Amino acid sequence: MPSELQHLELDIPIEVIWNFVRNEDNWAPLVPGYIHHEKLNERQITWEFKSSLGIMKKKVRLLIDIKEWNEPVRVSFDLKRSNEKYIGEGYFEAKAINKNKTRITGFIDINASGTLGTLANSLFKTAIPKTTEEVAAAISSKLEEFKRRT
């Protein structure tokens, strides 16, 4: 299973980070290829984006199913596609280093199945680290903007 773990230390209080994270409108559009998202209820969000993995380019619609919401420490989730029961999982954690500095950790693990699952998984191994770095940079930048507004 391709996976990636990212750690960032930000000069932002943990409360500011959680005020940002609790609203999916703040972070969902930061994923490369973002098209649309919709909050279905307190535990589920649909997310649509264009995926470009080498020769494979297609529109992907995922259901984010939140398993745990333990603010201000951890959110964990499953990723599902409409035609599959499970495609992956992940989590977001925050730990206050002091009152103005927070360490955030993000993890994602994806396992494609089906006819092209093996090919997709090999492409995910190189794409996931690059994408998570892009998302981490975008989230850091947005959090800095969010901190200045609050």
Side-chain angles (χ1 to χ4, degrees):
M1 286 186 171
S3 62
E4 182 68 12
L5 182 67
Q6 285 281 328
H7 301 283
L8 294 171
E9 286 189 12
L10 302 172
D11 292 324
I12 301 173
I14 195 168
E15 298 81 20
V16 172
I17 290 173
W18 280 94
N19 285 335
F20 177 85
V21 169
R22 82 168 45 105
N23 182 348
E24 69 280 352
D25 293 341
N26 292 329
W27 51 264
L30 301 177
V31 172
Y34 170 83
I35 298 171
H36 174 73
H37 74 279
E38 179 182 357
K39 184 174 186 173
L40 302 176
N41 58 49
E42 291 302 313
R43 294 284 187 176
Q44 295 182 319
I45 303 164
T46 60
W47 205 355
E48 192 173 332
F49 56 95
K50 291 178 192 170
S51 173
S52 179
L53 295 172
I55 59 171
M56 294 173 47
K57 296 178 185 349
K58 67 183 200 172
K59 194 183 293 187
V60 176
R61 185 175 170 98
L62 294 178
L63 173 68
I64 299 172
D65 195 3
I66 298 170
K67 298 187 300 187
E68 173 189 17
W69 187 278
N70 186 9
E71 187 173 328
V73 181
R74 182 180 171 93
V75 174
S76 64
F77 55 88
D78 283 337
L79 297 171
K80 301 174 184 177
R81 290 186 57 188
S82 59
N83 59 346
E84 299 174 35
K85 291 183 179 174
Y86 170 86
I87 190 169
E89 63 187 352
Y91 63 82
F92 171 85
E93 290 181 337
K95 181 179 181 186
I97 295 170
N98 61 43
K99 71 178 193 158
N100 293 313
K101 190 169 193 161
T102 306
R103 178 179 174 92
I104 60 173
T105 302
F107 174 76
I108 190 152
D109 185 47
I110 295 178
N111 185 28
S113 59
T115 316
L116 297 174
T118 303
L119 173 61
N121 283 329
S122 67
L123 294 171
F124 283 149
K125 283 183 184 177
T126 55
I128 289 175
K130 181 178 181 270
T131 301
T132 56
E133 284 178 23
E134 289 176 25
V135 170
I139 287 174
S140 295
S141 177
K142 283 289 187 187
L143 277 165
E144 286 294 336
E145 288 176 31
F146 192 78
K147 178 177 99 172
R148 286 191 294 273
R149 289 185 301 196
T150 56

